[in-house]
Amino acid sequence: MSLAHPDQLFCGFRVATMASSGTVLARYEDGKTAFVQPDGSPLQALQVVVGVCGGKIEWIGPESILPAEGFADVAVIEGDGRWLLPGLIDCHTHLVYGGNRACEWQERLGGVPYAEIARRGGGILSTVRQTRMASEDQLVADAGQRLQRLLAEGVTTVEIKSGYGLDRETELKMLRAARQLQSRFPVRVVATLLAAHAVPPEFAGRADDYVAMVCNEIIPAARDLCSAVDAFCESIAFDCDQTERVFRSAMENGLQFKVHAEQLSNMGMAARAARMGALSADHLEYLTPEDCAVLGRHGTVATLLPGAFYTLGEKQLPPVQALRENAVPIAVSTDSNPGSSPLVSLLLAGNMACNLFGLTVEETILGMTRNAARALGLQNEAGALQPGFQADFSAWEVGSLAEMLYSPGQNQCRASWIAGVARSVH
C-alpha cells in the first residue's frame, strides 16, 4: 500500500487539525483508510506529517504510514516543535471604508448613546459621506494597512463587506476595492454586499424605496463581485420584512445571505433568516433561547463580535449557554469597522470572546477556524486540516494553544502559508 506522492511535507509540528472526530485524514492509494482524527478535542496535538500536493492537503498521518524509502524530491518544511493550525479566518469585517470616527468614540465616552449619534446623521452615515468621497485607490491603500495587521496574526481568509456607499456606484466601488486587496495580498477575500446597512440621507423617510433599489438595481449589479448579501435588521436600520425582501433578491440572483441581527434589541430576524437558509446571524446579544433552537435546527452559524460589545459598552450578553445547548456553531470575528469595532486583531477578539462572553479556548479557536469557514460557506475547503482542503496553515510558537489568546498584543504566529505557499515569517 502507498500514499499519493506529495510535493511538500510538513514535519515536526504539533498539529491541531480542527477536524471532527472520525474524519479520515489519510487513505492509501488502494482506498484503505490509513489514519483518522482521534476522538477528543480537535485542538489536541497530533504528532503527524502533512502531505501537500498542488496547494491542497493530500493526507495527514503519523510517520509510520510513510513508505520506508520516503519520498524523493519533496520539499520538507520542518516545524521544530511549533503548533500547526489551519489559517485563521476573520469572517465578519468592514475593512474597506473612508475616514474614521474617533470623534464619535469620544462622544460615546461622554455618555452619548450610539443610537442617538446614528439618528442625528452620525454613525454609519458619517462613514458613508467619507467613503463616497474617497477614490478606489485610496480605499484599497487604507484597507491594505488594516489587512496587513490581520495577516500578521495568521489570518489567511477574510470576509470584507461593503455598506458604506448606500448607492450603486459606491457599493460597487467598495466591492472592487475588496477584490483588489485579494490581488495585491496573499489572502483569500470573501466579498459581501451590505447595501442594506442604513437608509441613505437621500432616502430619508423612504426606507421601502431604498430597499426596492437595493433589490432591483444594486444586487443584480453586484452579483459578479460578491458571494453573499448581508443586511442590518434593527430599529435604526431595516425591519424584518424589508430585510427578507433583500434576502429574497439575493437568492434570485444566486447569492447566499447572512444578517446583522439582535444587536441592540430583539427583532426576531435571526430566527427568520435561519429558516430562510442564512449562512450566519451576527452580533446576537438579544437573541432568545427560543431563537437559539431555531438556529440549531437549521445549522445557521452564530457569529459573535465582542469588539462591538466592548466598544459600545453594551451590557446585554449573547446567550452563549443556550447556543451550546442547541449545538449552534459559534464563530468569532473582529467586526473591524470605523465606528463600533475599530479592531484589527483577531487574536484580541478571541481574548475578548473568552473574557467577556465566557467562551472556552477551544470554542474560540474553533470559532476562528472551522466555524468561521462555515459562516462563509467555505466548510468544504477551509477552516480545518483535512484532505482536499486548501493548504492554508498558521504556525505558532506557544507551549499551549491557550497562549495564542491570553496575552493581548502578543502575536506568537511565526509563519503562515496559503495554498501551500509560504506567506510570512516573523
Side-chain angles (χ1 to χ4, degrees), residues 167-398:
D167 61 27
R168 182 180 183 277
E169 178 184 351
T170 314
E171 289 293 307
L172 297 180
K173 177 175 68 174
M174 294 183 71
L175 293 174
R176 289 194 303 269
R179 291 301 185 198
Q180 279 204 56
L181 290 168
Q182 178 164 273
S183 67
R184 296 189 185 191
F185 294 91
V187 65
R188 184 206 318 248
V189 171
V190 178
T192 297
L193 176 70
L194 181 57
H197 199 189
V199 179
E202 57 269 27
F203 281 86
R206 298 187 297 124
D208 280 334
D209 290 342
Y210 178 63
V211 168
M213 188 179 83
V214 170
C215 295
N216 299 329
E217 298 181 31
I218 300 180
I219 291 177
R223 62 187 174 192
D224 293 333
L225 290 170
C226 62
S227 59
V229 169
D230 199 344
F232 184 22
C233 184
E234 190 53 74
S235 59
I236 60 173
F238 301 96
D239 65 28
C240 292
D241 289 342
Q242 291 163 341
T243 302
E244 181 169 334
R245 286 167 56 195
V246 171
F247 294 161
R248 296 288 176 196
S249 177
M251 290 188 283
E252 289 167 4
N253 283 275
L255 298 170
Q256 297 176 303
F257 59 94
K258 54 186 62 181
V259 65
H260 286 59
E262 330 307 355
Q263 180 184 9
L264 306 175
S265 63
N266 183 270
M267 302 281 287
M269 193 64 219
R272 191 163 168 176
R275 293 187 183 100
M276 294 177 67
L279 288 172
S280 71
D282 302 19
H283 287 292
L284 305 181
E285 283 85 340
Y286 286 84
L287 194 72
T288 67
E290 294 76 18
D291 295 335
C292 293
V294 176
L295 267 64
R297 285 197 299 272
H298 291 275
T300 297
V301 176
T303 300
L304 303 185
L305 306 170
F309 177 90
Y310 167 82
T311 302
L312 297 178
E314 295 295 331
K315 305 300 181 186
Q316 177 80 20
L317 291 166
V320 169
Q321 186 56 35
L323 292 171
R324 291 171 177 146
E325 291 170 356
N326 288 280
V328 179
I330 298 173
V332 174
S333 187
T334 61
D335 190 21
S336 183
N337 75 74
S340 62
S341 187
L343 193 65
V344 284
S345 170
L346 187 56
L347 298 181
L348 178 55
N351 176 275
M352 289 178 171
C354 294
N355 285 328
L356 299 178
F357 292 168
L359 267 63
T360 66
V361 168
E362 179 172 313
E363 287 171 331
T364 301
I365 296 178
L366 279 171
M368 302 188 301
T369 52
R370 189 170 84 196
N371 290 340
R374 185 169 176 175
L376 298 177
L378 299 176
Q379 62 270 24
N380 294 321
E381 54 188 295
L385 305 184
Q386 57 189 81
F389 281 37
Q390 186 163 293
D392 295 348
F393 305 147
S394 58
W396 301 83
E397 194 159 358
V398 292

